[in-house]
Amino acid sequence: MPNFTQAHTPSRQPGYGLRALLCATLLALSACGSLPPLPPRTASTALSTPQETDLGRMVQSQRKAANTAYVSGFTLLGGAQAAFTSRLALVHAATKTLDLQYYAIHADASTARLLEAVVQAAQRGVRVRVLLDDFHGAGKNAQVMRLAFVPGIEMRMFNPLTGPRGSTVLRALSTLTDFQRTQQRMHNKLFIADNSVGITGGRNLGDAYFDALDSDNFIDLDIMAAGASVRQLSASFDRYWNDSRAYPVSALISEQELLRLRAHTSAPKNESELVQDAIAASKTAQLAPMDLQSIDWIWAPALVLADAPGKIPPPPEDDIASSMETLETPADAKPGEDIPHLLSMRLPSSLNAASPRPSNSANQQALRNVLMPVVEQDNVVSGLLALIDQATTDVLIVSPYFVPGDDMKQAFARARARHVRLRILTNSLASNDAPLAHAGYARHRKELLQQGIELFELRSLQDGKADTGTLRSTAGTITGSQGGSRAMLHSKMLVLDHKLTVVGSMNLDMRSQLQNTEIALLIASRQLAQEATDNIEASLREAAWLVEDTPSGLVWRAPQGSDWGDRTTEPDASVPLRLMIHIIGPFAPDHLL
């Protein structure tokens, strides 16, 4: 099976790399590349009979045992280990289909094990579809595209970019001719087995997302769903998969070209890189798949919120034909049968299937009254702002990249006017892997504090205690970097009035609202909301700075009982980093951060 991480490195003459770099740069900047024509594709959809699979029967059995009227089950995935082993379990359990949709899949040790399991699933007859945003499809990560040439696996790249794939830097330079489309990315994350059980949230696939690195790991969150809500997740996947922006990998690059790239772009690794690879491999190598039979599902009504693929403009018309002109009808399609679409931000007819039985009509109507203003919005983030407009007591927000535009600030102001408590956990400057995004947040920080909003910033450096700096759940820590490693918040979650929980791929920033496509699960369950609230509040108490506006300026308050000490400048951030943000930050537009 393909090895997605190792590469042969040929010898090079002195100066070869520099000359090649200069030549490629000149070519990239002097010519405007174009995409190849979109070839005919066969439309495909999610499994129509999930109840006939082993996973489907397992879900029905668990629902029956729970004696519940609800037909969607949920569980927060506690910790990076659970995040990895749950995905591994879905791959092993799938008998018919696997659908993966991601913004980024990194070619590294932990992902290699997952992808090897995916290849084995295809070899035993599982139909595999992989949809990947093309922003990271260059350099070492381009090797993930070799999945497309494995029998039984079909892979497409969403919103493909032009330019060389051998270097991420040169490819970035080549996209300057189409800057706006380059900025708009498919940010959705889905991992679905047999249209029966699926995972969504903020996590991409890679070592840093599975706590497999010795440093710089992401604190992230997933939710696993079973039953009716998975059909909605799959419907969203199908819409993106069959969209004209989804290019088959074979139309963009050949397997031979990928192998040549692997040979020419992999440099010899130094000792520290080899040690890091060994650490990452060892952290996931011995993990066994999660026992799906033992999951204690929380059964509840829910709704999938999904941006439409059309939020991202298509490539120029001379580069691509419409999807209706290029899609071929499946050979086994019934006459007049349409590809099922999840209409963006519309209340789907399947909501009844994921809601209480008619005997609970009062609660069902109340839930519909809450949801209608949400689904009437034209994107996920605006829908969440409409949800905040209905909060009456408490809103908890976790958003790693938090850059509020005017409409977000207005929604917060309306909530505060109703005396709603607003608490927001985001990254500190030191824990943010995108410092300019922090600059966009920092320029609004005083205004938010003056509105009475409570701001918490994750501490980047952990003190070596188990579980410190992590969100928590009954299933264990939601993730974490421990010891001396740097923790970077990447979870995306809202909890409203102790009864509604939203987990998804979206940040509360203008990029998620206006440019990227996003997906989220909105779940109406007091039990799940309490579990999520307990997790977040533990992090606020133990792993985050409380930012206060004082007459003498901002102060970062350390948690009670800690030995951190209060700070009057961005904590744990170096002087050059603080200086860079101070100088460059004011010129960076909010909508691009």
Side-chain angles (χ1 to χ4, degrees):
M1 68 184 61
N3 186 314
F4 299 101
T5 59
Q6 297 179 358
H8 169 68
T9 305
S11 60
R12 294 190 178 97
Q13 296 176 349
Y16 171 89
L18 178 60
R19 288 197 301 272
L21 178 64
L22 291 173
C23 291
T25 301
L26 289 173
L27 286 172
L29 295 179
S30 63
C32 176
S34 62
L35 293 172
L38 179 65
R41 303 167 301 156
T42 300
S44 61
T45 59
L47 182 67
S48 60
T49 55
Q51 69 279 4
E52 297 177 4
T53 66
D54 291 344
L55 275 174
R57 285 187 286 268
M58 180 200 76
V59 172
Q60 290 302 313
S61 174
Q62 290 168 325
R63 175 175 173 263
K64 184 177 180 180
N67 191 28
T68 177
Y70 303 114
V71 290
S72 289
F74 305 94
T75 184
L76 289 174
L77 292 175
Q81 178 172 319
F84 185 86
T85 59
S86 59
R87 286 168 171 82
L88 197 60
L90 292 187
V91 176
H92 284 220
T95 57
K96 295 294 184 180
T97 62
L98 278 171
D99 291 331
L100 279 62
Q101 180 179 11
Y102 280 94
Y103 167 66
I105 300 178
H106 298 285
D108 52 28
S110 58
T111 304
R113 186 180 177 201
L114 273 178
L115 296 186
E116 286 169 3
V118 169
V119 170
Q120 291 168 357
Q123 290 172 341
R124 66 173 187 266
V126 175
R127 184 199 69 181
V128 179
R129 299 185 294 178
V130 181
L131 183 60
L132 178 63
D133 183 87
D134 197 34
F135 189 75
H136 293 282
K140 176 184 176 182
N141 292 330
Q143 295 305 310
V144 173
M145 298 167 70
R146 289 167 55 204
L147 280 172
F149 303 98
V150 174
I153 299 179
E154 190 175 0
M155 184 174 185
R156 296 178 182 178
M157 306 299 287
F158 197 86
N159 193 19
L161 302 176
T162 59
R165 293 188 179 272
S167 164
T168 54
V169 174
L170 294 179
R171 193 158 184 254
L173 288 172
S174 71
T175 62
L176 294 177
T177 56
D178 195 5
F179 181 76
Q180 181 56 38
R181 190 173 68 86
T182 302
Q183 286 294 306
Q184 298 186 260
R185 310 313 314 169
M186 182 191 76
H187 200 233
N188 312 36
K189 287 100 175 174
L190 290 174
F191 201 114
I192 304 172
D194 286 347
N195 199 12
S196 298
V197 181
I199 298 170
T200 191
R203 194 183 310 268
N204 295 300
L205 301 185
D207 288 342
Y209 297 93
F210 294 120
D211 198 24
L213 297 178
D214 194 36
S215 62
D216 290 6
N217 287 298
F218 287 108
I219 292 177
D220 222 319
L221 173 68
D222 295 305
I223 191 161
M224 185 152 62
S229 286
V230 180
R231 321 290 189 263
Q232 297 179 42
L233 296 174
S234 290
S236 175
F237 178 94
D238 287 345
R239 191 174 187 191
Y240 279 79
W241 178 258
N242 293 308
D243 189 83
S244 62
R245 297 157 187 82
Y247 262 69
V249 166
S250 58
L252 301 171
I253 193 169
S254 68
E255 184 176 19
Q256 290 70 30
E257 289 173 304
L258 284 170
L259 291 172
R260 284 196 295 270
L261 279 181
R262 188 182 72 163
H264 288 285
T265 60
S266 297
K269 295 187 176 182
N270 59 38
E271 183 176 353
S272 101
E273 289 173 324
L274 292 172
V275 169
Q276 182 63 74
D277 284 351
I279 290 172
S282 66
K283 284 189 175 183
T284 56
Q286 303 304 318
L287 294 178
M290 177 183 288
D291 180 6
L292 299 176
Q293 295 279 0
S294 65
I295 292 175
D296 186 14
W297 299 101
I298 295 174
W299 300 89
L303 180 67
V304 172
L305 306 178
D307 285 335
K311 187 177 180 182
I312 296 176
E317 291 180 1
D318 58 346
D319 288 337
I320 188 170
S322 73
S323 60
M324 292 304 294
E325 293 173 338
T326 57
L327 285 174
E328 295 178 352
T329 303
D332 58 350
K334 299 176 182 177
E337 186 177 68
D338 293 326
I339 299 169
H341 285 171
L342 177 66
L343 298 178
S344 173
M345 304 308 295
R346 296 291 184 266
L347 192 65
S349 58
S350 59
L351 179 63
N352 288 331
S355 299
R357 292 286 176 87
S359 59
N360 201 3
S361 58
N363 285 342
Q364 185 176 14
Q365 187 58 47
L367 181 59
R368 283 182 172 275
N369 291 341
V370 170
L371 294 180
M372 284 308 299
V374 176
V375 299
E376 288 171 353
Q377 304 303 311
D378 62 1
N379 64 75
V380 170
V381 173
S382 294
L384 298 184
L385 297 183
L387 195 62
I388 291 173
D389 270 335
Q390 299 179 75
T392 58
T393 59
D394 186 87
V395 176
L396 262 173
I397 296 171
V398 181
S399 181
Y401 313 113
F402 176 52
V403 186
D406 289 341
D407 52 352
M408 292 186 203
K409 290 188 291 184
Q410 290 165 9
F412 298 155
R414 290 191 295 269
R416 291 296 301 136
R418 300 191 306 276
H419 306 290
V420 174
R421 186 184 187 188
L422 265 169
R423 290 174 289 172
I424 300 172
L425 173 63
T426 189
N427 272 306
S428 63
L429 174 57
S431 68
N432 202 321
D433 67 315
L436 283 179
H438 184 85
Y441 151 69
R443 68 170 63 111
H444 302 287
R445 191 160 41 192
K446 257 186 176 298
E447 179 183 358
L448 295 169
L449 290 170
Q450 289 168 358
Q451 289 180 357
I453 297 170
E454 300 170 56
L455 295 180
F456 296 82
E457 298 179 7
L458 182 78
R459 191 188 188 201
S460 64
L461 303 175
Q462 304 306 314
D463 61 8
K465 295 179 181 178
D467 297 346
T468 299
T470 65
L471 297 172
R472 303 186 178 180
S473 101
T474 55
T477 58
I478 285 181
T479 189
S481 47
Q482 286 134 28
S485 71
R486 177 188 181 214
M488 303 174 293
L489 185 67
H490 201 257
S491 310
K492 302 99 163 52
M493 178 164 56
L494 286 81
V495 184
L496 297 98
D497 291 346
H498 308 285
K499 60 186 178 184
L500 293 175
T501 305
V502 182
V503 179
S505 66
M506 70 291 151
N507 297 290
L508 276 190
D509 64 3
M510 295 182 68
R511 176 175 288 279
S512 282
Q513 184 177 22
L514 302 177
Q515 302 198 72
N516 292 346
T517 66
E518 309 287 358
I519 191 165
L521 262 171
L522 192 164
I523 304 150
S525 164
R526 291 185 182 276
Q527 180 183 350
L528 187 69
Q530 187 60 56
E531 182 179 321
T533 298
D534 290 345
N535 298 332
I536 299 170
E537 289 182 339
S539 296
L540 302 186
R541 289 192 307 268
E542 302 170 16
W545 306 94
L546 171 64
V547 187
E548 292 184 354
D549 185 23
T550 72
S552 57
L554 295 181
V555 175
W556 283 258
R557 301 292 186 194
Q560 290 186 356
S562 73
D563 58 359
W564 301 2
D566 294 349
R567 309 292 174 88
T568 55
T569 58
E570 303 271 7
D572 303 322
S574 66
V575 172
L577 180 57
R578 295 201 305 264
L579 184 62
M580 181 192 77
I581 294 300
H582 180 73
I583 294 173
I584 301 177
F587 301 101
D590 282 351
H591 69 280
L592 293 179
L593 300 178

